[in-house]
């Protein structure tokens, strides 16, 4: 292990101190082989794909002709997060050797599916089916059976439908008070939404200072209380609920006094802990021998009246895999007979992540079966007391559900919000907890206005056609429809709609899309692309701190697609000292303080913000990862911060309002153990407010 660490440090230093452009090709190949060797040891011996992934990615970047590096980069990405990013690596393998793996076309298709590129995924799944037909006698371990491939095609078809009919959900990361740079998931809340309990594999405040075989900390349960409408810093719930090993919370009673949790004993059992009057928690006890079995019990939820418990189990007698069951208390208050929820709810696939809503009849759960987009999808079914049956489960749709696993959804008592764990572009760590917000009346009004505008436009087009002697033809179902992005801008302090200057710019130079205002603070973009494109969405308003965010827009389809995005702006008058904002769209040349041309738009927004708010004094803070020496990192970060200050000064911003400070590797916002979700985030430049005051007649 020591040899491995030394080799990694030496290779990292080599890659950091030398520009790729001046490394001889033979050296590239040799170093790439070294990275593959390290990756193999991490992946196959330590069983840690997240850490192995960055080794393979670096190897593939150094030597694109290294077929194993590309294949293992794709494979490890597919086994971790942001699985859609595996596509170019698998495609490179196919270009080098189409027969490298029998299921290579399937792997390409799967990564396209994860990346929401369903048409390309279906094409490659069908090509893999053709290969299956041609090689019927193949018996290798890398053979994917026909029925599984057809299931994937069905999921892609569902995905096309769900994205074309995207739901009006607003999904927001609940922030760093709860989320860490590791894995955070399985949130549960009490009825008045003042307490959240969740599971985390963070190292900080974990009872066990060691890590598990996958290089993540052991599971611990954490708790957070809502203070003045915001979630306070999460704390370890501590002993006796947590031990040195794995504990995961499962459910919370409506009053927040009983916590149900999972312990990896007896193949997985459900325990319950009671909150004492002093706020501490009792020693967890098994719920009941009627509920716990020698098989696995994975998730649980309790009805609001505490009389019925629902849980998942793979015990015999079900419909296949994990099934959902229920158990009711008898007259003595003991848990009675367990019954299966039946084939309306359960399938031959896994059902898990169960949650009974506060209305006592709406059941949320996740399933790998029925009409899903891939992995676990979240469904809901309503109990009908009159005939003791369940309604057919309904998929919650996109953007809550994705082709990856979406599970452990819980709703608030008023039904206006929900919480679940997912991987998104704006995440704090590997897996974060997000809040789902149901659109308010303003957004519903915007939707109605939008439809009204479309009807009026259609009417005007019809009149124009008649005036020139044309006959209106019904629109072909094969006509591709533009993707609509509806943007709502709000004041972060009071949630009031704001009129602002908004822009949406793509990768191509000068590719800026026009917006149409359809209501106060609400704007629409009509986007026409034949592939998924990432845009920079910028929102600016005098008196507020501007925001720039990345938005990924899928290709056009034969049905309309609508996506909704909410951006909140902070009033400058309420920005406290030490307010920070990462300048995500400022770029430098490798190992250099030279600003790239792509930084121009973000720097222009920063300049405009400072011009409009002369009472604001800022620090430009440079940060790096921990690769290379601390002295070198601090010097590079100082140069990069100074480069931005120099630009602003050249644009007329008074130098006394600007400070450049390089922090090097001393202030990370993510773990330096990983590249894509760690060191890449730590290599950043921030704007930090040092002073914010009002200037008369500004």
């Amino acid at each position: 292990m020591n040899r491995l660490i030394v080799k990694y440090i030496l290779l990292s230093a080599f890659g950091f101190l030398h520009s790729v452009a001046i490394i001889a090709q033979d050296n590239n190949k040799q170093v790439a082989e070294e990275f593959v060797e390290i990756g193999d040891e991490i992946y196959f011996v330590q069983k840690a794909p997240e850490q192995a992934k960055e080794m393979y990615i670096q190897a593939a970047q150094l030597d694109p002709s290294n077929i194993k590096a590309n294949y293992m980069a794709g494979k490890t990405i597919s086994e971790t997060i942001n699985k859609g990013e595996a596509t170019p690596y698998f495609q490179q393998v196919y270009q080098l050797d189409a027969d490298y793996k029998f299921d290579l076309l399937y792997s390409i298709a799967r990564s396209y599916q994860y990346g929401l590129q369903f048409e390309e995924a279906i094409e490659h799944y069908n090509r893999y089916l053709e290969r299956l037909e041609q090689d019927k006698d193949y018996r290798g371990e890398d053979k994917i059976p026909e029925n599984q491939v057809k299931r994937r095609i069905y999921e892609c078809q569902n995905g096309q439908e769900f994205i074309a009919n995207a739901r009006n959900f607003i999904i927001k990361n609940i922030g760093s008070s709860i989320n860490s740079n590791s894995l955070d998931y399985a949130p549960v809340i009490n009825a008045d939404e003042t307490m959240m309990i969740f599971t985390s594999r963070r190292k900080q405040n974990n009872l066990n200072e060691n890590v598990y075989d996958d290089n993540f900390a052991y599971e611990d349960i954490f708790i957070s209380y809502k203070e003045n409408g915001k979630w306070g810093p999460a704390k370890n719930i501590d002993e006796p609920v947590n031990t040195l090993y794995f504990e995961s919370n499962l459910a919370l009673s409506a009053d927040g006094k009983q916590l149900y949790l999972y312990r990896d004993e007896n193949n997985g059992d459900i325990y319950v802990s009671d909150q004492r009057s002093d706020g501490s928690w009792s020693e967890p006890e098994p719920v009941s021998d009627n509920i716990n079995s020698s098989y696995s019990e994975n998730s649980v939820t309790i009805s609001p009246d505490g009389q019925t418990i629902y849980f998942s189990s793979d015990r015999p007698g079900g419909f296949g895999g994990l099934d959902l069951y229920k158990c009711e208390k008898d007259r003595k208050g003991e848990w009675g007979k367990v019954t299966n929820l039946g084939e309306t709810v359960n399938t031959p696939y896994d059902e898990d992540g169960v949650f009974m809503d506060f209305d006592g009849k709406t059941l949320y759960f996740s399933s790998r079966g029925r009409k899903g987009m891939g992995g676990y999808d979240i469904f809901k079914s309503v109990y009908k007391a009159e005939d003791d049956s369940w309604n057919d489960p309904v998929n919650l749709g996109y953007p809550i559900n994705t082709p990856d696993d979406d599970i452990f959804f819980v709703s608030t008592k008023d039904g206006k919000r929900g919480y679940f764990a997912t991987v998104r572009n704006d995440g704090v760590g590997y897996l974060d907890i997000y809040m789902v917000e149901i659109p308010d009346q303003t957004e519903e009004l915007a939707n109605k206005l939008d439809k009204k505008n479309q009807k009026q436009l259609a009417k005007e087009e019809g009149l124009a056609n008649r005036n020139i002697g044309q006959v209106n033809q019904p629109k072909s179902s094969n006509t591709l429809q533009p993707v609509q992005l509806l943007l709502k801008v709000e004041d972060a302090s009071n949630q009031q709609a704001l009129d602002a200057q908004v822009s949406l710019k793509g990768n191509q130079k000068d590719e800026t899309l026009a917006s149409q205002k359809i209501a106060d603070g609400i704007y629409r973009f009509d986007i026409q692309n034949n592939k998924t494109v990432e845009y920079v969405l910028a929102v600016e308003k005098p008196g507020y701190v501007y925001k720039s965010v990345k938005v990924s827009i899928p290709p056009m389809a034969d049905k309309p697609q609508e996506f909704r995005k909410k951006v909140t702006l902070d009033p400058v008058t309420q920005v406290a000292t030490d307010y920070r904002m990462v300048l995500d769209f400022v770029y430098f040349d490798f190992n250099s303080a030279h600003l790239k041309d792509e930084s121009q738009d973000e720097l222009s927004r920063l300049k405009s913000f400072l011009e409009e708010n002369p009472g604001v004094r800022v620090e430009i803070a440079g940060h790096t990862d921990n690769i290379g020496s601390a002295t070198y990192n601090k010097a590079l970060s100082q140069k990069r911060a100074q480069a931005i200050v120099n630009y602003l000064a050249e644009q007329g911003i008074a130098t006394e309002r600007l400070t450049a400070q390089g922090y090097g590797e001393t202030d990370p916002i993510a773990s330096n153990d990983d590249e894509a979700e760690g060191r890449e985030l730590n290599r950043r430049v921030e704007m930090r407010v040092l002073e914010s005051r009002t200037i008369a007649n500004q």
Side-chain angles (χ1 to χ4, degrees), residues 517-562:
K517 179 181 175 182
I518 60 175
D520 289 343
I522 298 178
Y523 304 86
R524 190 186 79 197
F525 296 90
D526 294 315
I527 306 163
Q528 302 182 51
N529 290 312
N530 293 319
K531 62 180 181 179
T532 300
V533 175
E534 286 193 341
Y535 291 89
V536 175
L537 174 64
V539 183
E540 302 171 82
K541 183 175 177 65
Y544 290 82
V545 182
Y546 76 92
K547 277 193 179 176
S548 306
V549 295
K550 188 178 293 184
V551 180
S552 183
I553 302 296
M556 295 184 292
D558 57 1
K559 293 182 180 179
Q561 303 174 71
E562 181 182 278

Short mmCIF file of all heavy atoms in Angstrom, two decimals, residues 517-562:
data_model
loop_
_atom_site.label_atom_id
_atom_site.label_comp_id
_atom_site.label_asym_id
_atom_site.label_seq_id
_atom_site.Cartn_x
_atom_site.Cartn_y
_atom_site.Cartn_z
N LYS A 517 -40.52 37.45 -22.17
CA LYS A 517 -41.13 37.64 -20.86
C LYS A 517 -42.61 37.31 -20.95
O LYS A 517 -43.33 37.86 -21.80
CB LYS A 517 -40.94 39.08 -20.38
CG LYS A 517 -41.58 39.34 -19.01
CD LYS A 517 -41.39 40.78 -18.57
CE LYS A 517 -42.14 41.05 -17.27
NZ LYS A 517 -42.02 42.45 -16.83
N ILE A 518 -43.09 36.40 -20.07
CA ILE A 518 -44.50 36.01 -20.13
C ILE A 518 -45.27 36.38 -18.88
O ILE A 518 -46.49 36.26 -18.83
CB ILE A 518 -44.65 34.50 -20.40
CG1 ILE A 518 -43.98 33.68 -19.30
CG2 ILE A 518 -44.08 34.15 -21.76
CD1 ILE A 518 -44.20 32.19 -19.48
N ALA A 519 -44.58 36.83 -17.83
CA ALA A 519 -45.21 37.33 -16.61
C ALA A 519 -44.12 37.98 -15.79
O ALA A 519 -42.93 37.92 -16.14
CB ALA A 519 -45.88 36.19 -15.83
N ASP A 520 -44.49 38.64 -14.69
CA ASP A 520 -43.49 39.29 -13.85
C ASP A 520 -42.48 38.25 -13.36
O ASP A 520 -42.84 37.28 -12.68
CB ASP A 520 -44.16 39.96 -12.65
CG ASP A 520 -44.94 41.20 -13.05
OD1 ASP A 520 -44.71 41.70 -14.17
OD2 ASP A 520 -45.78 41.66 -12.25
N GLY A 521 -41.22 38.48 -13.70
CA GLY A 521 -40.16 37.60 -13.23
C GLY A 521 -40.10 36.24 -13.90
O GLY A 521 -39.34 35.38 -13.47
N ILE A 522 -40.87 36.03 -14.97
CA ILE A 522 -40.92 34.72 -15.63
C ILE A 522 -40.60 34.89 -17.11
O ILE A 522 -41.19 35.73 -17.80
CB ILE A 522 -42.29 34.05 -15.43
CG1 ILE A 522 -42.52 33.80 -13.94
CG2 ILE A 522 -42.35 32.73 -16.18
CD1 ILE A 522 -43.85 33.18 -13.62
N TYR A 523 -39.67 34.07 -17.59
CA TYR A 523 -39.16 34.19 -18.96
C TYR A 523 -39.16 32.82 -19.63
O TYR A 523 -39.00 31.80 -18.97
CB TYR A 523 -37.74 34.77 -18.95
CG TYR A 523 -37.66 36.09 -18.24
CD1 TYR A 523 -37.48 36.15 -16.85
CD2 TYR A 523 -37.77 37.29 -18.92
CE1 TYR A 523 -37.41 37.36 -16.17
CE2 TYR A 523 -37.70 38.52 -18.26
CZ TYR A 523 -37.54 38.54 -16.88
OH TYR A 523 -37.48 39.74 -16.23
N ARG A 524 -39.32 32.85 -20.95
CA ARG A 524 -39.33 31.60 -21.72
C ARG A 524 -38.28 31.64 -22.81
O ARG A 524 -38.11 32.64 -23.50
CB ARG A 524 -40.70 31.37 -22.36
CG ARG A 524 -40.86 29.97 -22.96
CD ARG A 524 -42.16 29.83 -23.71
NE ARG A 524 -42.06 30.44 -25.04
CZ ARG A 524 -43.11 30.77 -25.80
NH1 ARG A 524 -44.33 30.57 -25.35
NH2 ARG A 524 -42.94 31.30 -26.99
N PHE A 525 -37.56 30.52 -22.93
CA PHE A 525 -36.61 30.32 -24.02
C PHE A 525 -37.11 29.15 -24.87
O PHE A 525 -37.50 28.11 -24.33
CB PHE A 525 -35.22 29.97 -23.48
CG PHE A 525 -34.56 31.06 -22.68
CD1 PHE A 525 -34.76 31.14 -21.32
CD2 PHE A 525 -33.75 32.00 -23.31
CE1 PHE A 525 -34.15 32.13 -20.57
CE2 PHE A 525 -33.13 33.01 -22.56
CZ PHE A 525 -33.33 33.07 -21.19
N ASP A 526 -37.12 29.33 -26.18
CA ASP A 526 -37.44 28.26 -27.12
C ASP A 526 -36.13 27.78 -27.74
O ASP A 526 -35.45 28.55 -28.44
CB ASP A 526 -38.40 28.73 -28.20
CG ASP A 526 -39.76 29.10 -27.61
OD1 ASP A 526 -40.27 28.32 -26.78
OD2 ASP A 526 -40.30 30.16 -27.97
N ILE A 527 -35.78 26.52 -27.52
CA ILE A 527 -34.45 26.02 -27.85
C ILE A 527 -34.55 24.90 -28.88
O ILE A 527 -35.30 23.94 -28.68
CB ILE A 527 -33.75 25.51 -26.57
CG1 ILE A 527 -33.75 26.63 -25.51
CG2 ILE A 527 -32.33 25.07 -26.87
CD1 ILE A 527 -33.46 26.16 -24.13
N GLN A 528 -33.80 25.01 -29.95
CA GLN A 528 -33.83 24.03 -31.03
C GLN A 528 -32.44 23.42 -31.23
O GLN A 528 -31.56 24.07 -31.77
CB GLN A 528 -34.32 24.68 -32.32
CG GLN A 528 -35.71 25.32 -32.21
CD GLN A 528 -36.17 25.91 -33.53
OE1 GLN A 528 -36.14 25.23 -34.56
NE2 GLN A 528 -36.59 27.16 -33.50
N ASN A 529 -32.27 22.21 -30.74
CA ASN A 529 -31.02 21.48 -30.90
C ASN A 529 -31.32 20.02 -31.25
O ASN A 529 -32.37 19.49 -30.83
CB ASN A 529 -30.18 21.51 -29.62
CG ASN A 529 -29.61 22.89 -29.35
OD1 ASN A 529 -29.06 23.52 -30.24
ND2 ASN A 529 -29.76 23.37 -28.12
N ASN A 530 -30.42 19.41 -31.96
CA ASN A 530 -30.58 18.00 -32.29
C ASN A 530 -29.79 17.09 -31.35
O ASN A 530 -29.73 15.88 -31.55
CB ASN A 530 -30.14 17.74 -33.74
CG ASN A 530 -31.07 18.41 -34.74
OD1 ASN A 530 -32.29 18.38 -34.55
ND2 ASN A 530 -30.51 19.02 -35.76
N LYS A 531 -29.15 17.68 -30.35
CA LYS A 531 -28.44 16.90 -29.33
C LYS A 531 -28.48 17.67 -28.02
O LYS A 531 -28.86 18.85 -27.98
CB LYS A 531 -26.99 16.66 -29.75
CG LYS A 531 -26.18 17.94 -29.92
CD LYS A 531 -24.74 17.62 -30.33
CE LYS A 531 -23.93 18.91 -30.46
NZ LYS A 531 -22.52 18.64 -30.83
N THR A 532 -28.12 17.01 -26.94
CA THR A 532 -28.08 17.67 -25.63
C THR A 532 -26.99 18.73 -25.62
O THR A 532 -25.86 18.48 -26.04
CB THR A 532 -27.83 16.65 -24.52
OG1 THR A 532 -28.88 15.68 -24.52
CG2 THR A 532 -27.78 17.33 -23.15
N VAL A 533 -27.33 19.93 -25.17
CA VAL A 533 -26.39 21.06 -25.15
C VAL A 533 -26.40 21.68 -23.76
O VAL A 533 -27.46 21.86 -23.15
CB VAL A 533 -26.76 22.13 -26.20
CG1 VAL A 533 -25.83 23.34 -26.09
CG2 VAL A 533 -26.68 21.54 -27.61
N GLU A 534 -25.21 22.02 -23.27
CA GLU A 534 -25.10 22.71 -21.99
C GLU A 534 -24.99 24.22 -22.24
O GLU A 534 -24.17 24.66 -23.04
CB GLU A 534 -23.90 22.22 -21.19
CG GLU A 534 -24.11 20.84 -20.59
CD GLU A 534 -23.07 20.49 -19.55
OE1 GLU A 534 -22.00 21.14 -19.55
OE2 GLU A 534 -23.33 19.58 -18.75
N TYR A 535 -25.83 24.99 -21.56
CA TYR A 535 -25.85 26.44 -21.68
C TYR A 535 -25.44 27.08 -20.35
O TYR A 535 -25.56 26.47 -19.29
CB TYR A 535 -27.26 26.92 -22.04
CG TYR A 535 -27.71 26.56 -23.43
CD1 TYR A 535 -28.37 25.36 -23.68
CD2 TYR A 535 -27.49 27.42 -24.50
CE1 TYR A 535 -28.80 25.02 -24.95
CE2 TYR A 535 -27.92 27.09 -25.79
CZ TYR A 535 -28.57 25.89 -26.01
OH TYR A 535 -28.98 25.57 -27.26
N VAL A 536 -24.99 28.33 -20.44
CA VAL A 536 -24.78 29.13 -19.25
C VAL A 536 -25.95 30.10 -19.14
O VAL A 536 -26.18 30.92 -20.04
CB VAL A 536 -23.45 29.92 -19.32
CG1 VAL A 536 -23.33 30.84 -18.11
CG2 VAL A 536 -22.28 28.95 -19.37
N LEU A 537 -26.70 29.98 -18.07
CA LEU A 537 -27.84 30.85 -17.81
C LEU A 537 -27.38 31.95 -16.85
O LEU A 537 -26.95 31.66 -15.73
CB LEU A 537 -28.98 30.05 -17.18
CG LEU A 537 -30.20 30.84 -16.70
CD1 LEU A 537 -30.91 31.52 -17.86
CD2 LEU A 537 -31.17 29.93 -15.96
N ALA A 538 -27.45 33.19 -17.29
CA ALA A 538 -27.00 34.33 -16.48
C ALA A 538 -28.20 35.21 -16.14
O ALA A 538 -29.03 35.51 -17.01
CB ALA A 538 -25.94 35.14 -17.22
N VAL A 539 -28.29 35.63 -14.88
CA VAL A 539 -29.38 36.47 -14.40
C VAL A 539 -28.77 37.66 -13.67
O VAL A 539 -28.01 37.49 -12.71
CB VAL A 539 -30.33 35.70 -13.46
CG1 VAL A 539 -31.49 36.59 -13.04
CG2 VAL A 539 -30.83 34.43 -14.14
N GLU A 540 -29.11 38.88 -14.12
CA GLU A 540 -28.54 40.09 -13.53
C GLU A 540 -29.65 41.10 -13.26
O GLU A 540 -30.61 41.22 -14.01
CB GLU A 540 -27.52 40.71 -14.48
CG GLU A 540 -26.37 39.79 -14.88
CD GLU A 540 -25.51 40.37 -15.98
OE1 GLU A 540 -24.63 41.20 -15.66
OE2 GLU A 540 -25.74 40.02 -17.16
N LYS A 541 -29.48 41.86 -12.15
CA LYS A 541 -30.40 42.95 -11.83
C LYS A 541 -29.67 43.93 -10.91
O LYS A 541 -29.04 43.52 -9.94
CB LYS A 541 -31.65 42.42 -11.11
CG LYS A 541 -32.68 43.51 -10.82
CD LYS A 541 -33.95 42.93 -10.21
CE LYS A 541 -34.92 44.06 -9.86
NZ LYS A 541 -35.41 44.78 -11.07
N PRO A 542 -29.74 45.23 -11.22
CA PRO A 542 -29.10 46.22 -10.34
C PRO A 542 -29.62 46.08 -8.91
O PRO A 542 -30.81 45.89 -8.67
CB PRO A 542 -29.53 47.56 -10.97
CG PRO A 542 -29.75 47.24 -12.41
CD PRO A 542 -30.33 45.85 -12.42
N GLY A 543 -28.70 46.17 -7.96
CA GLY A 543 -29.08 46.04 -6.56
C GLY A 543 -29.05 44.62 -6.05
O GLY A 543 -29.33 44.38 -4.86
N TYR A 544 -28.69 43.66 -6.93
CA TYR A 544 -28.63 42.25 -6.54
C TYR A 544 -27.31 41.65 -7.01
O TYR A 544 -26.69 42.13 -7.96
CB TYR A 544 -29.79 41.47 -7.18
CG TYR A 544 -31.14 41.81 -6.60
CD1 TYR A 544 -31.84 42.92 -7.04
CD2 TYR A 544 -31.72 41.02 -5.61
CE1 TYR A 544 -33.08 43.26 -6.52
CE2 TYR A 544 -32.96 41.33 -5.08
CZ TYR A 544 -33.64 42.45 -5.53
OH TYR A 544 -34.86 42.76 -5.00
N VAL A 545 -26.91 40.57 -6.33
CA VAL A 545 -25.74 39.82 -6.75
C VAL A 545 -26.15 38.93 -7.92
O VAL A 545 -27.12 38.16 -7.80
CB VAL A 545 -25.18 38.95 -5.61
CG1 VAL A 545 -23.92 38.22 -6.07
CG2 VAL A 545 -24.87 39.80 -4.39
N TYR A 546 -25.46 39.05 -9.04
CA TYR A 546 -25.82 38.27 -10.22
C TYR A 546 -25.56 36.78 -9.99
O TYR A 546 -24.82 36.39 -9.08
CB TYR A 546 -25.05 38.76 -11.44
CG TYR A 546 -23.59 38.31 -11.48
CD1 TYR A 546 -23.22 37.14 -12.14
CD2 TYR A 546 -22.59 39.05 -10.87
CE1 TYR A 546 -21.91 36.72 -12.17
CE2 TYR A 546 -21.27 38.64 -10.90
CZ TYR A 546 -20.93 37.47 -11.55
OH TYR A 546 -19.63 37.05 -11.58
N LYS A 547 -26.14 35.94 -10.85
CA LYS A 547 -25.90 34.50 -10.79
C LYS A 547 -25.69 33.95 -12.19
O LYS A 547 -26.37 34.36 -13.14
CB LYS A 547 -27.06 33.76 -10.11
CG LYS A 547 -26.98 33.76 -8.60
CD LYS A 547 -27.93 32.76 -7.98
CE LYS A 547 -27.80 32.78 -6.46
NZ LYS A 547 -28.79 31.89 -5.82
N SER A 548 -24.76 33.00 -12.29
CA SER A 548 -24.53 32.25 -13.52
C SER A 548 -24.61 30.78 -13.18
O SER A 548 -23.92 30.33 -12.26
CB SER A 548 -23.16 32.58 -14.12
OG SER A 548 -23.00 33.97 -14.30
N VAL A 549 -25.43 30.03 -13.89
CA VAL A 549 -25.59 28.60 -13.61
C VAL A 549 -25.57 27.82 -14.92
O VAL A 549 -25.87 28.35 -15.99
CB VAL A 549 -26.90 28.30 -12.84
CG1 VAL A 549 -26.89 28.93 -11.47
CG2 VAL A 549 -28.12 28.78 -13.64
N LYS A 550 -25.21 26.55 -14.82
CA LYS A 550 -25.18 25.68 -15.99
C LYS A 550 -26.53 24.99 -16.14
O LYS A 550 -27.11 24.50 -15.17
CB LYS A 550 -24.07 24.64 -15.84
CG LYS A 550 -23.82 23.80 -17.08
CD LYS A 550 -22.66 22.84 -16.86
CE LYS A 550 -21.35 23.55 -16.71
NZ LYS A 550 -20.20 22.63 -16.59
N VAL A 551 -27.04 24.94 -17.36
CA VAL A 551 -28.32 24.30 -17.65
C VAL A 551 -28.12 23.34 -18.81
O VAL A 551 -27.61 23.73 -19.86
CB VAL A 551 -29.41 25.33 -18.00
CG1 VAL A 551 -30.73 24.63 -18.30
CG2 VAL A 551 -29.60 26.33 -16.87
N SER A 552 -28.52 22.10 -18.65
CA SER A 552 -28.40 21.10 -19.71
C SER A 552 -29.76 20.91 -20.37
O SER A 552 -30.75 20.58 -19.70
CB SER A 552 -27.91 19.77 -19.12
OG SER A 552 -27.73 18.81 -20.13
N ILE A 553 -29.82 21.12 -21.68
CA ILE A 553 -31.08 21.05 -22.43
C ILE A 553 -31.03 19.87 -23.40
O ILE A 553 -30.10 19.77 -24.20
CB ILE A 553 -31.34 22.36 -23.21
CG1 ILE A 553 -31.38 23.55 -22.25
CG2 ILE A 553 -32.63 22.26 -24.01
CD1 ILE A 553 -32.51 23.50 -21.25
N PRO A 554 -32.01 18.98 -23.34
CA PRO A 554 -32.01 17.81 -24.22
C PRO A 554 -32.38 18.18 -25.65
O PRO A 554 -32.84 19.30 -25.92
CB PRO A 554 -33.07 16.91 -23.59
CG PRO A 554 -34.02 17.86 -22.94
CD PRO A 554 -33.16 18.99 -22.42
N PRO A 555 -32.23 17.25 -26.59
CA PRO A 555 -32.58 17.54 -27.98
C PRO A 555 -34.09 17.63 -28.18
O PRO A 555 -34.87 17.18 -27.34
CB PRO A 555 -31.99 16.34 -28.73
CG PRO A 555 -31.94 15.24 -27.72
CD PRO A 555 -31.64 15.90 -26.42
N MET A 556 -34.48 18.21 -29.31
CA MET A 556 -35.89 18.30 -29.66
C MET A 556 -36.48 16.90 -29.86
O MET A 556 -35.77 15.95 -30.18
CB MET A 556 -36.08 19.11 -30.94
CG MET A 556 -35.70 20.57 -30.84
SD MET A 556 -36.05 21.48 -32.38
CE MET A 556 -34.84 20.73 -33.48
N ALA A 557 -37.78 16.79 -29.65
CA ALA A 557 -38.49 15.53 -29.86
C ALA A 557 -39.79 15.84 -30.61
O ALA A 557 -40.11 17.00 -30.88
CB ALA A 557 -38.77 14.85 -28.53
N ASP A 558 -40.54 14.78 -30.93
CA ASP A 558 -41.78 15.01 -31.67
C ASP A 558 -42.92 15.49 -30.78
O ASP A 558 -44.01 15.78 -31.25
CB ASP A 558 -42.20 13.75 -32.44
CG ASP A 558 -42.37 12.55 -31.52
OD1 ASP A 558 -42.19 12.70 -30.29
OD2 ASP A 558 -42.70 11.45 -32.03
N LYS A 559 -42.66 15.55 -29.47
CA LYS A 559 -43.63 16.10 -28.53
C LYS A 559 -42.98 17.28 -27.80
O LYS A 559 -41.78 17.29 -27.58
CB LYS A 559 -44.06 15.04 -27.50
CG LYS A 559 -44.86 13.90 -28.12
CD LYS A 559 -45.29 12.92 -27.02
CE LYS A 559 -46.08 11.77 -27.61
NZ LYS A 559 -46.49 10.80 -26.54
N PRO A 560 -43.79 18.28 -27.40
CA PRO A 560 -43.22 19.43 -26.69
C PRO A 560 -42.56 18.99 -25.37
O PRO A 560 -43.03 18.08 -24.70
CB PRO A 560 -44.44 20.32 -26.42
CG PRO A 560 -45.46 19.88 -27.44
CD PRO A 560 -45.23 18.42 -27.64
N GLN A 561 -41.45 19.64 -25.03
CA GLN A 561 -40.77 19.41 -23.76
C GLN A 561 -40.64 20.75 -23.04
O GLN A 561 -40.25 21.74 -23.65
CB GLN A 561 -39.38 18.82 -23.97
CG GLN A 561 -39.36 17.53 -24.76
CD GLN A 561 -37.94 17.08 -25.05
OE1 GLN A 561 -37.22 16.66 -24.15
NE2 GLN A 561 -37.52 17.18 -26.30
N GLU A 562 -40.95 20.75 -21.76
CA GLU A 562 -40.88 21.98 -20.98
C GLU A 562 -40.10 21.72 -19.71
O GLU A 562 -40.35 20.76 -18.99
CB GLU A 562 -42.29 22.48 -20.63
CG GLU A 562 -42.29 23.77 -19.85
CD GLU A 562 -43.68 24.21 -19.48
OE1 GLU A 562 -44.35 24.82 -20.33
OE2 GLU A 562 -44.11 23.93 -18.34
#
